Amino acid sequence: MTSTYPPRLASERPVSAWAITATMVSLLGALVALVLAIIGVFGSLPAAGLLVIATLGQLAWYRLGPAASRVLLWPALGLLGLCLVSYLLPEHWLPHVSWDQLANQIVTGSLLVDWRPPLLLTLCLIALLLSLVVRTRANLGAPMLLGVAGLLLLAQAVEALHTPSLLPLRGTWLAQVILLTLLLGQIVDVAGAWKQQSYRLSRALWPGLGLALLSLLFWHYQKTLEERNLAARVEQQHVQMAESLSREIDDHLAAMRRFANVWRLTPMIPGATAWATQAAPYQRDFRYFLNIAYIDTNSRIQLVHPPTDINLQVLGSRLFDDQPAGREAVASALQRGREGRTDIIELLQGGPGMIHYLPIFLASESRPTGAVAMAVSLPALADTLFANIDPEDQQLSLYRDRDRLAHQPAEARLGPWQLEAELDLSGIPLVLLSQPTLRRLLSDLPRQPVVSLTVGLLLAQLLYLVLFSQQQMANQHRAVRRSNRELRREIRKRTRLQEEVEWLAGHDELTGLPNRRTFLQALREHDPREPISVLLCDIDYFKKVNDHLGHLEGDRYLKEIGQLGNEVIASDDGLFARLGGEEFIAYLPGRDEQEAIRIAEDLREAVAASGLAHADGAPLTVSIGVATGTPGPLRIDDLMNAADEALYSAKHAGRNRARLARSLAAPGSEELPEQR
């Protein structure tokens, strides 16, 4: 199964069959997860739906191209971005309860946690989808995005080994398998293309992944620390609540004693009016006092406040008979004159509670004349405490052993934490259980760890992009430097060629002497205010040298004569050039006829004494024609013609001699004697 990539890389290449297979497996798993979510077995339905959309987007990217896949990828990224924002926004900007209200409007009774995918799953999906949006380009950060997705998958697996967090952090195992197959599909698909630039990738990828790993570790530390701090704060509030209840119990005991001591100042048994007058403030302050009753020495209830229907029904009851569970406490107050307290019993008015009996001593009596009975209703006591607690925040229960004495249910979904604190109710051990709601815990949970993780992953992505760009720039700089070096070498080569061409244009290739062009240029640049002389030289019988000794030997002779001529002429500040064949010419600026003839003779003698010889042993000689121009305008053609005529004269006269051109000679000049 093959298809062609959309043109997202420099060259088109077939999509890996393994990548499509992995994506198909992911799609199958995502559909299974969606079905399980619908029937309530999988995690949240939105998470399953996002997995299906992401998988379909990746499959469309392979089969239809990036343009078609964006129809699915961008909406999925938008939803995931909204989920991430809900994790990041501070509580004072947008309270958690507002998110819950929005979720409740969508589906009645639902909360934000029902709609929002777990944090690590959200970040992993964002990384995978962004790698497709940037067309898996290495220079746009796709390798780093896939690396971050791998680290987030690993973090989800590690989180499974720890105590569940307040925030939903990881997806189910099925969701993690789906994400893993999506990740492997993308990696397999682009591994071949990235392998070609593995050096640049490794230089940028590993530092970025290192920073991402540090961000995850720091997030885990922060998250654990913040949850511990939150747990400590919640536990401290719970302990303060228990301490408040304990203080309430101590206060009502102190109030009971004050009430009993009031009657020491009276000489007679209290009447109904006096009893109601004294009991009313106490009952008003401690509303969980079910009643405040006067018990006579016969254990009968004689007076009761408040006079409610249920309290009036117990008037006249003999406690020794009607409430056996409290008999010992009544006897302690009436017979022994000491405070008595029942255990938690069923009150005559109904419901669990406890009764305190305090003896009453009149001013003239040494023995108790009765007792005060204060019935404390435990449900009313708990309601007094629970009244200050919002049911939206927590659920409260009061237990003795395994018996629940009072309970205030929560009006919101409960969180995972359950706290307990022990109470001492006048020597009776009770346990106060509290379970905060999930809304309250998530509202109090700081957003800093999630912000740190998100910022850390963004910085890791930026670090990769910076390092990769630097690598690209460095490669480009190296390429430019190589090009510059190549260009400089080419320039030097062309310069040398140009110099060589220019040199060849002005010099004889065989002898290295200036050629006719250079010689004529020198003549044109001559100062007309000075005399000028020209020596036209021709090797005598040079054709015989080529015929008898060969052209190679003839070339050697030409080089030797060129070198000799250059030495002789250069010593007199002249220019020695080769006209062509066996002809040479010399330019002597500022030299008159006598000096020119002398230099010509020096040159002729140097050639004759050079040791160069013909095949028969005769020395090689030259004939020289000398022409001199006086100061003034110079006509080069006339000077050259004069030198040529003088050379012809020298050859006609027998060769191996130098002749001065007569036409340009000064008056009275004579031809030099013939040299033989």
Side-chain angles (χ1 to χ4, degrees), residues 363-444:
S364 59
E365 299 291 335
S366 59
R367 293 180 60 82
T369 57
V372 177
M374 293 186 175
V376 178
S377 171
L378 288 182
L381 177 62
D383 290 343
T384 301
L385 174 65
F386 297 168
N388 298 324
I389 306 301
D390 188 352
E392 294 283 344
D393 289 341
Q394 57 186 319
Q395 175 177 283
L396 295 173
S397 300
L398 188 64
Y399 282 85
R400 182 185 183 187
D401 296 330
R402 296 184 179 180
D403 299 329
R404 188 169 70 182
L405 306 177
H407 179 67
Q408 176 178 283
E411 297 179 1
R413 189 177 304 177
L414 295 175
W417 296 348
Q418 183 171 301
L419 308 171
E420 69 176 55
E422 292 186 357
L423 300 177
D424 184 3
L425 183 61
S426 301
I428 300 175
L430 301 179
V431 175
L432 179 65
L433 290 182
S434 171
Q435 192 166 3
T437 61
L438 187 59
R439 176 186 300 174
R440 177 206 170 179
L441 293 177
L442 293 180
S443 298
D444 293 343

Side-chain angles (χ1 to χ4, degrees), residues 449-570:
V450 182
V451 173
S452 299
L453 175 60
T454 306
V455 172
L457 295 179
L458 286 176
L459 290 177
Q461 186 70 21
L462 292 176
L463 176 62
Y464 167 85
L465 292 174
V466 169
L467 293 178
F468 191 86
S469 299
Q470 285 182 343
Q471 289 294 317
Q472 282 189 313
M473 292 177 63
N475 289 339
Q476 291 173 357
H477 289 165
R478 284 192 290 269
V480 169
R481 286 196 295 269
R482 285 195 300 268
S483 299
N484 288 338
R485 286 196 297 269
E486 294 288 340
L487 182 59
R488 285 194 293 270
R489 282 196 295 268
E490 186 66 22
I491 291 174
R492 286 194 295 268
K493 180 180 178 181
R494 291 179 179 271
T495 301
R496 286 194 299 268
L497 290 174
Q498 182 66 25
E499 291 173 351
E500 184 177 351
V501 169
E502 292 177 356
W503 186 87
L504 290 174
H507 292 78
D508 176 58
E509 185 176 4
L510 177 63
T511 61
L513 295 174
N515 59 11
R516 181 186 184 90
R517 178 184 178 186
T518 304
F519 177 78
L520 293 176
Q521 182 64 30
L523 289 182
R524 295 187 187 98
E525 295 173 357
H526 171 67
D527 188 353
R529 294 171 297 180
E530 295 182 353
I532 182 174
S533 296
V534 172
L535 280 60
L536 186 57
C537 309
D538 186 86
I539 302 175
D540 297 330
Y541 305 113
F542 185 72
K543 186 175 182 301
K544 294 181 178 181
V545 175
N546 285 333
D547 293 342
H548 297 153
L549 300 178
H551 287 280
L552 291 178
E553 191 67 12
D555 290 345
R556 186 178 70 84
Y557 280 17
L558 290 174
K559 292 179 183 178
E560 291 284 347
I561 292 174
Q563 184 177 356
L564 286 172
N566 189 52
E567 290 174 357
V568 172
I569 300 303

Side-chain angles (χ1 to χ4, degrees), residues 581-612:
E582 65 270 19
E583 289 187 338
F584 295 87
I585 192 167
Y587 158 61
L588 297 170
R591 304 293 182 177
D592 57 15
E593 297 171 344
Q594 298 300 323
E595 292 176 317
I597 287 296
R598 177 185 60 78
I599 295 171
E601 284 298 323
D602 291 341
L603 175 59
R604 186 187 62 79
E605 291 174 358
V607 172
S610 65
L612 300 175

Side-chain angles (χ1 to χ4, degrees), residues 130 133-143 145 461 464-465 468:
L130 281 178
V133 169
V134 300
R135 302 163 67 93
T136 66
R137 296 274 183 117
N139 61 334
L140 296 181
L145 290 170
Q461 186 70 21
Y464 167 85
L465 292 174
F468 191 86

Side-chain angles (χ1 to χ4, degrees), residues 120-199:
L120 296 179
L121 185 144
T122 299
L123 292 172
C124 188
L125 268 177
I126 289 176
L128 287 173
L129 297 187
L130 281 178
S131 69
L132 294 177
V133 169
V134 300
R135 302 163 67 93
T136 66
R137 296 274 183 117
N139 61 334
L140 296 181
M144 185 63 198
L145 290 170
L146 295 183
V148 167
L151 288 177
L152 291 170
L153 274 174
L154 180 62
Q156 291 184 70
V158 173
E159 282 296 323
L161 305 177
H162 293 81
T163 304
S165 175
L166 284 178
L167 281 176
L169 297 177
R170 63 182 184 86
T172 63
W173 287 109
L174 179 56
Q176 294 179 49
V177 170
I178 296 170
L179 293 174
L180 180 60
T181 51
L182 288 175
L183 174 62
L184 291 178
Q186 291 194 37
I187 291 177
V188 169
D189 186 49
V190 296
W194 290 349
K195 188 177 181 181
Q196 300 173 0
Q197 46 185 340
S198 59
Y199 177 74

Side-chain angles (χ1 to χ4, degrees), residues 168-247:
L169 297 177
R170 63 182 184 86
T172 63
W173 287 109
L174 179 56
Q176 294 179 49
V177 170
I178 296 170
L179 293 174
L180 180 60
T181 51
L182 288 175
L183 174 62
L184 291 178
Q186 291 194 37
I187 291 177
V188 169
D189 186 49
V190 296
W194 290 349
K195 188 177 181 181
Q196 300 173 0
Q197 46 185 340
S198 59
Y199 177 74
R200 275 189 297 165
L201 282 178
S202 61
R203 293 286 295 269
L205 185 60
W206 292 117
L209 288 179
L211 180 57
L213 180 59
L214 288 177
S215 300
L216 280 168
L217 293 175
F218 183 64
W219 161 78
H220 180 77
Y221 169 76
Q222 272 193 315
K223 181 258 301 182
T224 304
L225 182 63
E226 292 294 350
E227 288 190 357
R228 287 177 181 173
N229 291 338
L230 178 59
R233 291 196 301 271
V234 172
E235 185 175 4
Q236 183 180 9
Q237 294 171 1
H238 182 68
V239 170
Q240 290 174 351
M241 189 190 312
E243 291 176 350
S244 175
L245 182 57
S246 297
R247 286 194 299 270

